[in-house]
Amino acid sequence: MRLAFISDIHGNIHALTAVKRFLSEHIVNQVIVVGDLVGYGASPGPVIDFVKREGWTVGLGSSDMRVAMDMGDRADRKGVADQVLTWTKKMLTPEQVDFLRRLPPGGRIMTPVGRVRYFHGSPHDPEQRLDLMAPERELEALADSLGSRVIVVGGTHVPFMRVIGETTFVDPGSVGLTLNHEPGADVVIVDCVGRKPKVSLHKVTYDFASSAFDIMAWNLPPVIADVIRTGRMG
C-alpha cells in the first residue's frame, strides 16, 4: 500500500499540476491533502476544482477554515496572508466555499503497518501547529493517544521526518509555497509494507516563474512571488 501526502497547496495551480504528473509516475493507492488548498496563491478556485475532480482525500487547513468560516477579517490581522485571504473570498464561488466548509479536520487510514493519522495543525484544531521538534516524551504521548504508526501534519511549509519509537512523524512541506530554501513542490510518499513504513521526501520541479507572474498579475503582495521563486522567506 502506497500513500502520497501533500499539503499547503495555497492556490498554486502550476505546482499542483506538476505534482499530479509526478504522482502518475509513482503509482500510489491514495493521495491525501493535509489542508490549505487556498491562501497566498493566485488560483484558489482552480485548485479546489482540481482536487474535487481528482477525487483526492482532503483535510481542513487553517487558511481553508478562515476563508470558509469567515474568520479572516479581524482587526488585529494585517499580514500578507490576511490580505490574500480577503481577496480569496471574493474569488471563490459559493460552491467552492461550501466545499471548504465541509472538509473534515483530518482523518485516519488503516494500512498493513498500522494506523496512519493526518491533520493540518493538531488533531482537533487546524490553527494549532504541532511542534515536531518537541521533546520525545511529548510526541510519544501523542502517538500513544492516537494509536498511530505514522502521523502526518502540515503548516510549516518545510518537509520534515522524525522517528520516535515505533511512530514516524512527517510534515510533507508545501506544494505551493515551500520554505526549505529550494523552489519546487514538496511531496511525501509513504510505503506501508513490511514491518515498518518507508517514507520518502520529494521535490517536484514546476514552472514557478508562471506562478510568480500570476501573483504580480493579480496585484497580490510581491513578497509571495519572491518566496515562490526562492523557496525562502526574506
Side-chain angles (χ1 to χ4, degrees):
M1 186 176 187
R2 173 176 282 184
L3 305 174
F5 288 93
I6 59 176
S7 187
D8 297 271
I9 301 170
H10 286 304
N12 189 333
I13 193 65
H14 299 284
L16 185 58
T17 302
V19 166
K20 180 187 175 182
R21 289 196 298 269
F22 171 82
L23 292 176
S24 70
E25 301 168 357
H26 297 74
I27 306 302
V28 298
N29 299 100
Q30 189 174 354
V31 180
I32 300 97
V33 184
V34 194
D36 275 2
L37 302 181
V38 302
Y40 297 108
S43 303
V47 163
I48 292 172
D49 293 342
F50 187 103
V51 299
K52 287 176 61 178
R53 185 170 59 250
E54 293 299 318
W56 292 349
T57 302
V58 185
L60 180 70
S62 54
S63 294
D64 305 325
M65 183 173 69
R66 288 176 57 197
V67 168
M69 310 302 179
D70 196 24
M71 300 173 66
D73 294 329
R74 283 170 33 185
D76 60 337
R77 293 184 182 268
K78 299 294 185 182
V80 169
D82 306 284
Q83 296 177 44
V84 180
L85 289 176
T86 299
W87 173 85
T88 297
K89 293 177 185 180
K90 300 175 183 178
M91 300 299 294
L92 298 182
T93 67
E95 292 77 15
Q96 290 165 339
V97 173
D98 188 60
F99 177 81
L100 296 180
R101 189 175 294 122
R102 293 173 180 271
L103 292 176
R108 67 192 71 195
I109 305 167
M110 287 305 302
T111 77
V113 298
R115 179 182 291 123
V116 175
R117 287 291 302 268
Y118 63 89
F119 39 85
H120 187 74
S122 70
H124 307 293
D125 185 354
E127 289 198 305
Q128 183 182 0
R129 184 176 298 173
L130 179 65
D131 180 12
L132 296 187
M133 294 299 292
E136 287 193 7
R137 63 182 181 277
E138 293 183 16
L139 295 179
E140 285 175 345
L142 175 64
D144 288 343
S145 68
L146 298 177
S148 300
R149 291 293 306 280
V150 180
I151 296 175
V152 184
V153 301
T156 70
H157 295 210
V158 178
F160 182 80
M161 179 181 70
R162 184 181 183 188
V163 179
I164 298 177
E166 295 296 316
T167 302
T168 302
F169 294 84
V170 183
D171 187 325
S174 173
V175 167
L177 202 71
T178 187
L179 292 177
N180 75 329
H181 293 199
E182 181 183 358
D186 302 320
V187 178
V188 161
I189 292 179
V190 181
D191 285 297
C192 300
V193 295
R195 298 183 60 185
K196 59 176 62 177
K198 180 180 179 181
V199 178
S200 54
L201 310 179
H202 302 268
K203 178 73 72 174
V204 179
T205 59
Y206 72 94
D207 185 5
F208 54 83
S210 291
S211 294
F213 176 84
D214 290 348
I215 296 296
M216 306 307 293
W218 281 104
N219 200 31
L220 296 172
V223 64
I224 301 173
D226 293 338
V227 174
I228 288 173
R229 294 189 193 101
T230 64
R232 67 181 70 198
M233 182 71 72

